[in-house]
Amino acid sequence: MDYSKICFVIMPFGKKPIGDKMVDFDPLYDNIFLPAISEVVLPEGGKLEPHRTDKDFFTGDIRLEMFQYLEYSRFALADISGLNFNVACELGVRHRAREAGTAIFRQSQFAPPFDISSIKAFPYEYATVDDEVKARALISRVLTESLILNRLDSPVRIALRAQRESGQIDELLTRAENAIRNQDWTGAMDIYRDAVAAADPGNPLPRMKLGLLCRDRGIWDEALEQFTGATAASPSYGAAGRERGIGENKLAQIARPPLETNPAPGEASLRRAIEINDRDFDAFASLGGVLKRARRFPEALNAYEQSVKVSGGHPYPLLNALKLRVPVNGHLAPSGADKLALVRAARVREGQSKQLPPFDKPWCFFDSAEIKLYQGDAKAFLDTAMQGFSQTDEDWQGKTFVDSLRLLLPAADELPGLKQGIAELEKLLP
């Protein structure tokens, strides 16, 4: 078998539950993935050949065949919709085996959990014939460009490469991860500080890990120091540049200097991160937040809309874009595409609010409330917002939500219940 021409498809077989509906993956493979892959021209000539183990008609051990495909195939395509255990396992094996040549797709209504949200997963739809045409075109384009560029895309190999280049810090990183699992945040940060000191100056990984841990604990000055060090060690590390920009803007907010500047605090770092990786929706969304605080609303709206496009409709940039249309355009006037995106966003955020404990509280409740407002359900808007207030940990969280709603006031005629809802929520503010 000539594995240099094979694209191995990692996806569920048969009917599987995705969210609140049952999806049959077999016709998806036959009607979308197989023809899309078959259209991809290899850089050296010839066509890419799609393979799925249950579609092979020859004798042998299917487990052995699967591992051979994962190890040797020129390309692997994974559909992670529903987070099927076998798919997740096979994707992990592929990422360990090959540093490049893997692309991930997901159905639009499926939101990956936070743990893997940093891995790019291209969203697709299949409800209509037009959706299928667009999905096939997307798959063919992603595979064609990936084969030409051959970029490092395995998070496992990226991390292992950085560790090998840094010297003997594997043990320190393992100890820090174990401390995190035991919720020993102080101990983990101390170990990461030792790892930073022990690492090769050109290795950004321990600095990035320490910076993220400090960020999540609200230690912004040290977080920014580490993100800055990571970008100095690896100027092409886009994620470090993004976090550096976020940290620069956060410290500016804490110090309370004028934020309405050009460039705004953190703007240059975020724009650089986008230059490095123009598929980083979080960088676009963070830039939108920086520009919004600088009162540069048209630019902020553009950044959020780019984030919506790149992410395939992520709720955070979507809702921010809708709010900013009011001060920029003078009205809300959601389109049909906006309404469809809101339905998808509602599924994601409502599902997260029902987890125990709720995922990303209180924002999953606040986002769900805002969606109810756009959908014309004033009572559900207020009730859900009240739930969000009951889930807050800091006073600023509720205030931030109410302040963001005030951007919509010029379009209050389009949003029944907005003014009354804001008045009720203001009573909950300190």
Side-chain angles (χ1 to χ4, degrees):
M1 185 174 294
D2 186 357
Y3 287 99
S4 68
K5 298 181 181 298
I6 288 177
C7 174
F8 181 53
V9 180
I10 305 168
M11 66 185 302
F13 302 158
K15 295 181 179 179
K16 297 292 186 295
I18 304 296
D20 56 359
K21 68 177 184 178
M22 192 68 67
V23 174
D24 191 343
F25 282 88
D26 291 344
L28 288 183
Y29 176 77
D30 292 334
N31 299 331
I32 296 178
F33 289 98
L34 188 151
I37 296 167
S38 299
E39 286 299 312
V40 175
V41 177
L42 293 166
E44 69 275 15
K47 295 287 188 72
L48 201 59
E49 300 174 6
H51 281 254
R52 203 173 78 164
T53 48
D54 68 319
K55 298 288 186 178
D56 285 343
F57 293 97
F58 51 81
T59 60
D61 187 329
I62 192 171
R63 293 169 298 179
L64 176 60
E65 294 164 13
M66 178 192 72
F67 285 116
Q68 287 176 329
Y69 276 132
L70 292 171
E71 180 74 26
Y72 302 117
S73 292
R74 175 73 166 272
F75 209 91
L77 182 156
D79 186 338
I80 63 169
S81 304
L83 270 193
N84 177 275
F85 178 81
N86 289 332
V87 170
C89 178
E90 291 176 36
L91 180 59
V93 172
R94 173 67 181 189
H95 275 155
R96 180 63 182 88
R98 306 280 289 211
E99 66 179 18
T102 305
I104 304 173
F105 293 82
R106 64 174 175 86
Q107 293 170 22
S108 294
Q109 73 271 20
F110 169 74
F114 177 78
D115 292 28
I116 63 170
S117 62
S118 61
I119 303 175
K120 176 62 180 175
F122 296 91
Y124 73 92
E125 297 180 14
Y126 61 92
T128 67
V129 173
D130 186 53
D131 287 337
E132 289 188 2
V133 171
K134 291 178 180 177
R136 287 193 290 269
L138 171 66
I139 293 165
S140 295
R141 178 184 173 187
V142 170
L143 269 60
T144 298
E145 293 184 1
S146 298
L147 285 165
I148 293 172
L149 297 174
N150 197 34
R151 288 176 177 167
L152 183 67
D153 56 34
S154 164
V156 177
R157 299 295 287 269
I158 291 171
L160 291 176
R161 176 184 287 189
Q163 290 182 29
R164 283 194 295 269
E165 292 174 351
S166 69
Q168 300 302 315
I169 63 167
D170 296 33
E171 182 182 351
L172 289 172
L173 296 177
T174 300
R175 285 172 51 202
E177 293 297 327
N178 287 333
I180 290 172
R181 292 190 180 96
N182 293 323
Q183 298 186 17
D184 180 7
W185 315 117
T186 301
M189 286 188 288
D190 285 340
I191 297 170
Y192 277 137
R193 291 182 185 111
D194 291 340
V196 168
D200 183 279
N203 179 11
L205 182 63
R207 288 189 177 275
M208 188 68 173
K209 287 182 173 291
L210 176 56
L212 291 172
L213 198 57
C214 291
R215 179 202 67 183
D216 293 342
R217 309 270 77 75
I219 310 173
W220 282 101
D221 52 351
E222 186 174 3
L224 179 56
E225 177 188 351
Q226 298 306 326
F227 296 140
T228 302
T231 57
S234 180
S236 62
Y237 194 175
R242 178 193 67 221
E243 295 300 329
R244 175 180 177 176
I246 294 171
E248 289 168 342
N249 194 261
K250 185 65 177 181
L251 283 177
Q253 294 176 60
I254 294 171
R256 298 184 181 276
L259 297 176
E260 299 176 24
T261 58
N262 192 352
E267 179 181 350
S269 294
L270 286 166
R271 291 194 183 278
R272 172 59 181 154
I274 291 170
E275 287 178 7
I276 295 170
N277 180 11
D278 62 3
R279 308 301 300 177
D280 186 347
F281 84 91
D282 199 7
F284 278 110
S286 299
L287 177 61
V290 166
L291 296 172
K292 182 173 69 174
R293 285 183 282 275
R295 311 294 292 181
R296 291 157 56 189
F297 290 152
E299 294 175 79
L301 174 59
N302 180 66
Y304 280 126
E305 288 182 336
Q306 285 295 318
S307 182
V308 172
K309 179 180 178 181
V310 170
S311 68
H314 192 284
Y316 175 72
L318 171 66
L319 297 179
N320 275 285
L322 288 172
K323 285 192 287 285
L324 280 176
R325 288 182 191 175
V326 175
V328 173
N329 301 326
H331 56 81
L332 184 63
S335 66
D338 293 331
K339 293 175 182 178
L340 182 59
L342 285 169
V343 170
R344 297 186 191 118
R347 291 176 188 156
V348 173
R349 292 311 246 168
E350 288 173 7
Q352 292 170 340
S353 69
K354 293 175 183 176
Q355 295 180 23
L356 295 175
F359 176 78
D360 192 30
K361 69 180 183 71
W363 308 109
C364 58
F365 292 97
F366 289 154
D367 286 354
S368 295
E370 187 177 334
I371 293 169
K372 296 296 184 185
L373 175 68
Y374 295 139
Q375 294 175 333
D377 192 338
K379 183 179 185 304
F381 156 61
L382 185 56
D383 289 347
T384 309
M386 292 287 192
Q387 283 184 278
F389 268 85
S390 71
Q391 295 285 335
T392 57
D393 299 312
E394 304 286 346
D395 290 340
W396 65 267
Q397 294 172 328
K399 183 178 183 304
T400 297
F401 175 58
V402 174
D403 286 344
S404 71
L405 291 177
R406 292 193 181 103
L407 289 170
L408 296 168
L409 285 172
D413 292 344
E414 301 178 59
L415 300 167
L418 173 63
K419 288 184 178 179
Q420 180 182 354
I422 289 177
E424 291 297 320
L425 295 175
E426 285 175 336
K427 297 175 183 178
L428 303 178
L429 297 176

